[in-house]
Amino acid sequence: MFYKFDFRTYSRKFVTPLNTSHGVWESRNGLIIRLRDETGKVGWGEIAPISWFGSETIKEAISFCRKLPQTITENIIFTIPDELPACQFGFESARETIIKNHFFASESSSNITSSILLPAGRAALHQWRNIWEYGSHSFKWKIGVYPFAEEIFIFDLLAGELPAFTKLRLDANAGLSYGEAEIWLRKCDEINKNDDIDLKIEFIEQPLAVNQFSEMLELSRIYNTKIALDESVATLEQLESCYQQGWRGIFVIKAGIVGSPSRLRQFCLNHEVDTVFSSVFETNIGREAALSLATELSSQKRAVGFGVNHFFADDEQTCLENLWKETSSIS
């Protein structure tokens, strides 16, 4: 099978820069790719790297696409090197939209519940109310961004304010020390076993650095609050390695940068893994491809982590349509 290939780059600014333990993120840059088969069917894919998570850089992705011929084969798609996981995802996703003869949006994926990302620090105390009105009862809050004592203080306020039956996820982005992680886990255990508090802490995401896998494995056995790996399982190679080393906790899968969807599908179907599919701040192109995988592969039916659209300053559809002026819509 041969495909005509083209791509465009995009840049989307955040309403306010995002603060994480990795630093400040001001804009989301990525690529939209278009494949057209011999019958004229079109498939769309997205390449949205996050280099500090272990994917290729945006420059490497652009360089790879520029070197490709205007007509590519399936062999080219399925032999994209593992050093370009976001490219693997984008090209295979575009091909799948052609094979399935529709865009990824479906009834099953549209009915998935999503956990909404709150801003780091005190801003979370003000913003959760606006989000709650839209019906979401699951939130994720970044920790490991501000001074430890300050975040513990804000957390106590947030835990006291959130309504009954809320689920809260804490995302450290590998920003805690072992001692700090223990304090967070103890506090979460206390909340989760307190029958007078309806708030439940679902898990702490990536409390320690990637090179502290054994310590996170130890903590997962000591405390009742679940730990989810994120940066540690950014790519398929890492995912497989952590599973082989005994991790049976939660795997946060950022489909947009994890690598080949077909290989991810094979891994999840061959192993019983507890997964949470999460956003890489992609557009609807990559998001629907990732949600399609989440619908298929999430055995525990946990809320996905795609509640991030409110962080962007522009209108997504307008941004996408402007990439190809000759089309009125790319979906």
Side-chain angles (χ1 to χ4, degrees):
M1 179 70 71
F2 293 89
Y3 301 99
K4 292 290 186 181
F5 163 65
D6 197 3
F7 76 97
R8 300 286 191 276
T9 61
Y10 69 82
S11 180
R12 304 182 67 203
K13 284 191 173 296
F14 295 114
V15 175
T16 57
L18 299 185
N19 290 303
T20 77
S21 63
H22 296 290
V24 179
W25 197 5
E26 296 185 349
S27 62
R28 178 10 126 199
N29 299 312
L31 299 81
I32 301 297
I33 67 172
R34 180 176 62 183
L35 301 181
R36 191 187 305 273
D37 74 4
E38 297 160 336
T39 69
K41 294 177 183 176
V42 174
W44 301 93
E46 179 168 3
I47 302 171
I50 307 181
S51 58
W52 60 86
F53 256 79
S55 81
E56 66 269 47
T57 65
I58 186 69
K59 289 183 178 179
E60 289 169 335
I62 293 172
S63 176
F64 173 76
C65 289
R66 282 177 175 167
K67 291 177 182 177
L68 291 177
Q70 292 183 344
T71 300
I72 64 174
T73 63
E74 289 191 342
N75 182 62
I76 289 177
I77 293 173
F78 286 106
T79 57
I80 295 173
D82 290 343
E83 292 76 20
L84 302 171
C87 290
Q88 289 180 339
F89 174 79
F91 277 88
E92 283 195 36
S93 298
R95 173 187 173 274
E96 286 193 15
T97 62
I98 293 177
I99 299 299
K100 295 179 179 180
N101 199 27
H102 63 78
F103 194 55
F104 280 105
S106 64
E107 291 184 6
S108 56
S109 65
S110 62
N111 289 332
I112 290 179
T113 58
S114 190
S115 185
I116 308 300
L117 178 63
L118 295 173
R122 291 178 177 273
L125 297 172
H126 308 290
Q127 290 202 13
W128 73 260
R129 291 182 175 83
N130 295 332
I131 299 170
W132 180 269
E133 294 177 358
Y134 288 97
S136 177
H137 296 174
S138 176
F139 297 109
K140 182 164 82 169
W141 186 51
K142 297 282 186 181
I143 60 174
V145 178
Y146 295 101
F148 177 74
E150 180 182 350
E151 288 188 334
I152 289 289
F153 177 76
I154 297 170
F155 172 73
D156 287 335
L157 294 177
L158 186 63
E161 288 184 6
L162 290 174
F165 311 114
T166 302
K167 288 184 177 180
L168 182 63
R169 301 169 175 180
L170 302 178
D171 184 6
N173 284 129
L176 304 180
S177 68
Y178 188 92
E180 290 169 342
E182 283 199 298
I183 294 173
W184 277 109
L185 286 163
R186 281 199 295 268
K187 287 185 70 69
C188 292
D189 277 0
E190 290 171 2
I191 289 175
N192 285 340
K193 70 180 181 182
N194 189 336
D195 294 333
D196 295 328
I197 300 177
D198 291 320
L199 169 68
K200 296 302 176 186
I201 309 302
E202 191 175 3
F203 56 78
I204 293 183
E205 189 172 321
Q206 193 73 33
L208 305 180
V210 172
N211 62 4
Q212 293 179 283
F213 173 81
S214 60
E215 289 90 339
M216 287 187 285
L217 189 61
E218 179 182 73
L219 289 172
S220 73
R221 293 166 176 167
I222 296 173
Y223 296 95
N224 293 322
T225 299
K226 290 183 177 295
I227 294 176
L229 297 185
D230 187 7
E231 283 90 339
S232 292
V233 292
T235 65
L236 271 167
E237 183 179 6
Q238 292 174 307
L239 184 68
E240 293 166 350
S241 175
C242 288
Y243 185 86
Q244 291 168 1
Q245 293 179 71
W247 187 261
R248 297 299 182 268
I250 300 170
F251 295 81
V252 176
I253 296 178
K254 287 180 163 54
I257 61 171
V258 76
S260 162
S262 58
R263 286 170 50 200
L264 174 64
R265 187 178 289 113
Q266 182 178 11
F267 174 83
C268 291
L269 293 177
N270 288 342
H271 304 88
E272 291 187 9
V273 289
D274 188 351
T275 61
V276 173
F277 279 75
S278 184
S279 172
V280 291
F281 292 89
E282 62 278 275
T283 71
N284 191 50
I285 301 293
R287 181 167 57 250
E288 288 299 336
L291 287 175
S292 179
L293 287 169
T295 301
E296 180 183 354
L297 302 175
S298 297
S299 60
Q300 299 296 320
K301 307 302 180 186
R302 294 184 184 274
V304 298
F306 284 82
V308 298
N309 283 347
H310 56 293
F311 281 86
F312 287 103
D314 63 358
D315 175 72
E316 178 182 293
Q317 185 65 16
T318 300
C319 171
L320 293 176
E321 289 176 356
N322 286 340
L323 298 183
W324 269 276
K325 291 293 187 179
E326 70 270 20
T327 62
S328 60
S329 173
I330 67 170
S331 63

